[in-house]
Amino acid sequence: MSQITSENQHPTKSVIPLLSTKKLGSLPIIRLFLNRLKVREIIDAAAPKPGALVSNGDCIEALIMAVFIDQQHALSRVSEVLSGYDLEQLFRPGVNATLFHDTRLGEALDDLCEKAPSIYGDIVGQGIREFQLRIRQMNMDITRVLLHGEYQVAEDFRERHSDIAIPEHGWNPHERWDLKQLLFNLIVTEDKLPLMYSLGDGNACETTEYLHMMERLDTIQADVSKAVLKIDSKGCDAKTLMEAAKQKLRLVTLVPETYSLQERLREFASQREMKHLFTTEDGDQYYGLSIERPMLIDFVRKREIPINKMWRYLVVFSSDKAARAAETRECEISEEREKLGKVVTKFSQKKLFACRQDAEQEANAMIKGLRAKHHKITWKAQSGIVIRGRGRPLGSGLKANDKTGWGITFSLEAISRPIYRFDPEGMFVLLSTVSDNRILSDTDILLGYKGRNVVEISFNWLKGDAAVAPMFLKKPSRIQTMGFVFVVWMLIYGLIQREIRKFLKMFGGECPHPDNRMVHNPTTRGVLALFDHVCLSTCHFQGQTIAQIQLWRPELDRILELLGAKTLYEQYSRGATL
């Protein structure tokens, strides 16, 4: 990075130069994307703050920068995190870290609370236009955000703030029943870009939250009519599917294994010819069979509802799933046989009955209680069975403590399975609202659903890099807005990665990464980490300012080239002041 200076002046002994060094890190890149998304302009237009030294848009941008720097969302620490950075260059002259104290940031979160979803819609719309995004795939899922605090709300809170989610106790996979929570619903694209989000009450029904999200899809400022929307098995609900049909969405969801229809479809497909769909790099073979049925599945009531529309069920066979199921079944058979053997042996050696009827009744009750899955247990009642008591036996005669009566002998036989062309245990069933194979092929449906992991990756960002959970904020309203902050953060995170990978895909080459590595698929985290130590040094002497980027490395030029911003850091040095 070249030095930016005016006329060289020779210092005199009587004048001491004024020196200053402040960090820039990766924040100029974050600032570039904030500007392209017009985050500050959109926020300040929707929620102006007249007379404030820093606007609401400034505060949200500062929070986003703090998350990128230190994964920090505690309002009391944002000022500390930003204190070493040249905020006058990143914002404007006169802006410093002390202006972003927790009181001011809290006010900004309060001001944006009820407006945040519509503001985010405008930001996404700007992103779609600015980066020419084409939405082919949408993935929707829900996670639970754990909250550390009481978060007491007044009884009339819901009446006064109908759009604000209420923290409540509810089921969570971490089994933290002592913590309240919120439901975080998210729709992301195949590029991991969040299109929509919502926060729901901590004890809300996930199926209902899915439906509410789908009802708002028309607020996305883009054509999503040709995009495939993928939801997990909770999307297999009558109201959800009817809403998808109403909006003419190309929806794909997983049919729950607990449904009898799913079992019938797998059994039907197991004896039919299934079409090869594709083979993975690991050699896993996928086959599929489409079946049309005029019915819906109601997830809540778990029953079928016939309607006047054909739904398409894709029964998919996976060779890997079948192999794993067979391995699991062999283990289950072995374990069950060992368990049953011990039980029936103990029964035979320890129990005698006075009559045949008692023996049969006890044996039937015992077998029923065992609930054998892979074995058939047969038995035979016999009289004159002797169970020897303690002591040395005296020939063939009976001792006083020997017992005789009716006994049971058992035998175990493995239940043979039918011979299938395609094993039903290696199958799963997908449901699509698109019945025309020309619009959405079987392979498209399968590959689309397998790509649902991008939304799980997004949740990992929220719980990892962004550290959204656990949350330490004072008010439910601020948590509501903090959700907005994190999806904007995720949008920028995804766009940086998308732009670099798009360039590499078009022109080839590799991108620098930490540990002196060059990679084909760089991540935003890895790219931004290379800029951590970059800073700007300025020297003011006799009315002249000399500015220079410090700790710059040649590989950083390559990253700026991939982002289409070769002179980004030079611009900051040209505008340096002291």
Side-chain angles (χ1 to χ4, degrees):
M1 183 65 65
S2 60
Q3 176 175 296
I4 309 300
T5 180
S6 57
E7 296 181 6
N8 292 328
Q9 301 287 336
H10 297 286
T12 63
K13 295 182 180 179
S14 60
V15 179
I16 300 176
L18 298 177
L19 301 174
S20 175
T21 299
K22 291 186 177 182
K23 293 181 184 178
L24 287 177
S26 60
L27 293 191
I29 297 176
I30 310 306
R31 164 56 63 203
L32 172 66
F33 281 82
L34 286 169
N35 289 344
R36 293 184 68 179
L37 292 171
K38 298 184 178 180
V39 171
R40 185 193 306 168
E41 293 91 327
I42 292 173
I43 292 175
D44 289 342
K49 193 75 170 179
L53 296 176
V54 286
S55 68
N56 287 331
D58 291 327
C59 292
I60 297 304
E61 289 188 339
L63 277 168
I64 293 170
M65 290 180 180
V67 174
F68 270 105
I69 294 170
D70 195 37
Q71 293 81 57
Q72 185 55 247
H73 68 267
L75 302 188
S76 59
R77 290 204 57 215
V78 171
S79 178
E80 177 186 344
V81 170
L82 296 176
S83 61
Y85 288 83
D86 195 338
L87 299 188
E88 289 198 346
Q89 292 296 315
L90 294 164
F91 287 87
R92 58 188 175 275
V95 175
N96 58 69
T98 61
L99 297 178
F100 298 112
H101 50 82
D102 55 349
T103 301
R104 179 66 191 95
L105 295 175
E107 291 175 353
L109 295 180
D110 291 338
D111 291 343
L112 268 62
C113 176
E114 296 184 359
K115 301 176 182 179
S118 62
I119 291 174
Y120 185 71
D122 293 337
I123 292 174
V124 169
Q126 170 62 22
I128 291 172
R129 294 186 294 271
E130 174 69 16
F131 295 92
Q132 300 179 355
L133 303 179
R134 294 182 60 188
I135 303 173
R136 301 181 182 88
Q137 311 247 347
M138 298 187 295
N139 303 273
M140 181 159 61
D141 205 351
I142 287 178
T143 191
R144 297 170 188 271
V145 180
L146 298 179
L147 310 174
H148 289 246
E150 291 298 324
Y151 294 98
Q152 300 289 350
V153 296
E155 293 183 1
D156 61 344
F157 183 86
R158 173 61 73 197
E159 298 178 2
R160 293 182 288 110
H161 305 283
S162 58
D163 295 331
I164 298 178
I166 298 178
E168 298 282 1
H169 291 289
W171 179 90
N172 67 79
H174 306 288
E175 297 186 354
R176 289 298 305 269
W177 317 123
D178 57 317
L179 300 180
K180 291 185 177 181
Q181 63 183 10
L182 292 173
L183 298 188
F184 194 103
N185 197 352
L186 189 65
I187 296 180
V188 302
T189 70
E190 64 271 29
D191 292 322
K192 307 181 185 69
L193 304 177
L195 288 176
M196 286 183 63
Y197 79 99
S198 69
L199 283 172
D201 295 349
N203 58 4
C205 173
E206 292 187 13
T207 304
T208 303
E209 291 300 308
Y210 277 144
L211 179 60
H212 291 165
M213 194 74 140
M214 289 185 61
E215 291 172 344
R216 294 175 45 223
L217 282 176
D218 57 357
T219 63
I220 297 177
Q221 299 179 23
D223 181 13
V224 297
S225 60
K226 296 181 180 180
V228 178
L229 175 63
K230 294 165 286 184
I231 315 178
D232 63 17
S233 59
K234 294 182 180 62
C236 204
D237 170 73
K239 293 181 179 179
T240 303
L241 293 173
M242 288 300 292
E243 182 65 25
K246 176 183 175 182
Q247 297 190 35
K248 298 182 180 179
L249 293 172
R250 301 179 180 184
L251 183 140
V252 175
T253 185
L254 179 69
V255 180
E257 293 187 359
T258 54
Y259 284 13
S260 60
L261 173 64
Q262 200 250 31
E263 184 177 352
R264 295 201 304 271
L265 291 174
R266 288 191 299 164
E267 191 67 31
F268 175 83
S270 65
Q271 302 293 351
R272 267 71 180 178
E273 186 66 32
M274 301 184 75
K275 180 176 63 176
H276 181 263
L277 300 181
F278 79 100
T279 304
T280 67
E281 294 180 357
D282 298 330
D284 187 11
Q285 302 279 339
Y286 283 89
Y287 295 82
L289 175 66
S290 280
I291 304 170
E292 291 189 355
R293 292 288 178 89
M295 63 182 63
L296 276 175
I297 299 177
D298 189 329
F299 183 83
V300 178
R301 300 175 182 82
K302 296 184 179 180
R303 63 187 178 87
E304 300 168 13
I305 305 175
I307 61 170
N308 295 323
K309 180 173 176 59
M310 301 297 289
W311 298 104
R312 178 181 175 187
Y313 297 89
L314 176 61
V315 185
V316 180
F317 172 83
S318 164
S319 61
D320 180 64
K321 180 177 172 64
R324 286 186 281 110
E327 184 178 347
T328 301
R329 185 170 60 252
E330 289 300 320
C331 291
E332 289 178 351
I333 291 174
S334 177
E335 292 175 358
E336 184 178 86
R337 185 174 187 84
E338 182 180 356
K339 176 184 175 181
L340 294 176
K342 290 180 179 179
V343 173
V344 298
T345 299
K346 182 178 180 180
F347 187 96
S348 300
Q349 294 176 349
K350 298 295 183 181
K351 287 203 173 188
L352 289 176
F353 302 91
C355 64
R356 183 188 188 97
Q357 184 177 1
D358 289 346
E360 291 177 350
Q361 184 176 356
E362 185 83 8
N364 283 326
M366 189 269 289
I367 292 174
K368 185 177 180 180
L370 289 175
R371 297 180 181 179
K373 178 180 178 182
H374 301 288
H375 292 84
K376 180 181 179 181
I377 306 175
T378 57
W379 55 269
K380 182 179 180 181
Q382 293 179 318
S383 62
I385 301 298
V386 177
I387 296 179
R388 297 288 184 178
R390 292 184 178 182
R392 184 175 298 175
L394 300 174
S396 60
L398 297 177
K399 304 192 301 294
N401 57 357
D402 288 344
K403 296 180 180 180
T404 182
W406 285 84
I408 302 291
T409 57
F410 295 89
S411 63
L412 300 177
E413 180 183 355
I415 299 174
S416 60
R417 299 181 72 246
I419 299 176
Y420 295 103
R421 182 174 179 83
F422 295 97
D423 192 340
E425 291 187 359
M427 297 179 182
F428 57 92
V429 182
L430 300 175
L431 169 63
S432 175
T433 57
V434 180
S435 58
D436 193 337
N437 190 71
R438 295 169 298 179
I439 297 176
L440 203 61
S441 69
D442 291 347
T443 303
D444 291 336
I445 291 176
L446 176 58
L447 291 178
Y449 192 81
K450 284 178 67 66
R452 281 197 73 255
N453 66 323
V454 298
V455 70
E456 294 295 338
I457 294 173
S458 298
F459 287 146
N460 288 337
W461 292 349
L462 284 173
K463 296 178 181 180
D465 290 355
V468 68
M471 185 76 77
F472 298 92
L473 293 173
K474 294 180 179 180
K475 301 178 182 178
S477 58
R478 293 185 180 181
I479 297 175
Q480 191 90 6
T481 311
M482 188 57 77
F484 161 77
V485 172
F486 282 115
V487 289
V488 177
W489 173 86
M490 288 173 56
L491 179 60
I492 295 173
Y493 192 107
L495 285 172
I496 293 173
Q497 184 167 286
R498 174 186 180 273
E499 291 300 288
I500 293 177
R501 291 187 178 185
K502 184 177 73 171
F503 189 100
L504 292 175
K505 185 177 180 179
M506 292 174 59
F507 301 103
E510 296 177 316
C511 177
H513 240 235
D515 301 324
N516 297 317
R517 292 183 297 129
M518 299 293 290
V519 299
H520 293 286
N521 292 311
T523 64
T524 299
R525 181 194 299 176
V527 167
L528 297 186
L530 297 176
F531 290 84
D532 281 348
H533 303 292
V534 175
C535 57
L536 177 65
S537 293
T538 57
C539 175
H540 189 71
F541 176 67
Q542 292 187 350
Q544 305 297 325
T545 298
I546 301 172
Q548 188 175 28
I549 300 295
Q550 301 288 350
L551 303 177
W552 189 265
R553 293 183 292 176
E555 58 265 29
L556 302 185
D557 290 315
R558 171 61 174 167
I559 295 175
L560 295 184
E561 179 187 5
L562 296 174
L563 289 171
K566 290 183 179 181
T567 62
L568 179 62
Y569 280 75
E570 290 183 9
Q571 296 170 8
Y572 281 85
S573 60
R574 290 195 191 101
T577 59
L578 189 65

